[in-house]
Amino acid sequence: MYNSLTERLRNQHLAIAELVAATSNEKLASPPAPGKWSALDNIAHLTRYQKIFIDRIHQILNDDVPVFDRYNGDLDPAFTPFRSMGLTELLDIIKADRATIFDLLSGLTDTELLRIGVHPKYGRLTISKWTEFFVLHEAHHLFTIFQLVNSTE
């Protein structure tokens, strides 16, 4: 993996705590509109999605060109328990799982990084491209969290 991807994978998740540091629990848990995710829901989603990502990487390593469905947190029953967790617990899980992800990916050979998994929208992606997708997806949610905690509406 190239340096900027490695660094984002290693550190990007640390921005979550910084983004929400001065935010009340009430504001964190408050959805912007009925049926929309709160900042805390977005953090719960990122927490759950790390586990999905770990599973997908293992599948790509163990199966020949696996095909994945698009992940939708609202349709994932395993997402529900994460939505009831507090910020500290979510951040602890993110930290532990990110170490697992980083160690897993850092230990792969160049050949393993080229293994393919099929995304329903983006097609055939190498593990390196899945990792790029993962950090960009996370960045999207970081921006959403920023917007939610800084909104004056």
Side-chain angles (χ1 to χ4, degrees):
M1 292 188 303
Y2 44 91
N3 287 339
S4 70
L5 178 56
T6 300
E7 287 308 310
R8 285 179 289 141
L9 183 65
R10 183 191 329 256
N11 295 312
Q12 181 173 267
H13 67 289
L14 300 173
I16 299 168
E18 299 296 330
L19 291 173
V20 303
T23 307
S24 70
N25 288 334
E26 180 178 81
K27 180 136 184 147
L28 278 177
S30 178
K36 297 291 185 181
W37 287 356
S38 68
L40 196 58
D41 290 332
N42 275 272
I43 297 167
H45 169 72
L46 291 176
T47 307
R48 171 66 180 136
Y49 192 72
Q50 285 196 144
K51 295 183 180 304
I52 298 292
F53 183 69
I54 291 167
D55 290 345
R56 287 183 175 186
I57 295 303
H58 283 296
Q59 251 187 289
I60 293 168
L61 289 169
N62 295 320
D63 298 344
D64 189 33
V65 191
V67 177
F68 300 104
D69 292 330
R70 190 169 184 172
Y71 178 74
N72 182 333
D74 289 326
L75 301 178
D76 177 8
F79 176 48
T80 302
F82 289 91
R83 292 182 86 178
S84 64
M85 293 178 189
L87 177 62
T88 301
E89 186 175 7
L90 291 169
L91 293 177
D92 287 346
I93 294 168
I94 286 173
K95 181 180 178 182
D97 285 346
R98 185 54 64 94
T100 298
I101 291 168
F102 192 82
D103 290 347
L104 171 62
L105 294 173
S106 296
L108 297 181
T109 65
D110 290 343
T111 301
E112 288 171 322
L113 288 169
L114 292 174
R115 289 190 58 87
I116 302 281
V118 181
H119 186 279
K121 183 172 183 176
Y122 305 114
R124 296 169 58 88
L125 300 176
T126 64
I127 288 178
S128 291
K129 292 289 184 187
W130 274 101
T131 304
E132 184 68 57
F133 172 76
F134 172 79
V135 296
L136 291 172
H137 168 259
E138 181 178 68
H140 162 77
H141 284 280
L142 292 174
F143 182 56
T144 299
I145 292 163
F146 173 86
Q147 291 174 308
L148 290 169
V149 301
N150 290 291
S151 173
T152 57
E153 297 175 6

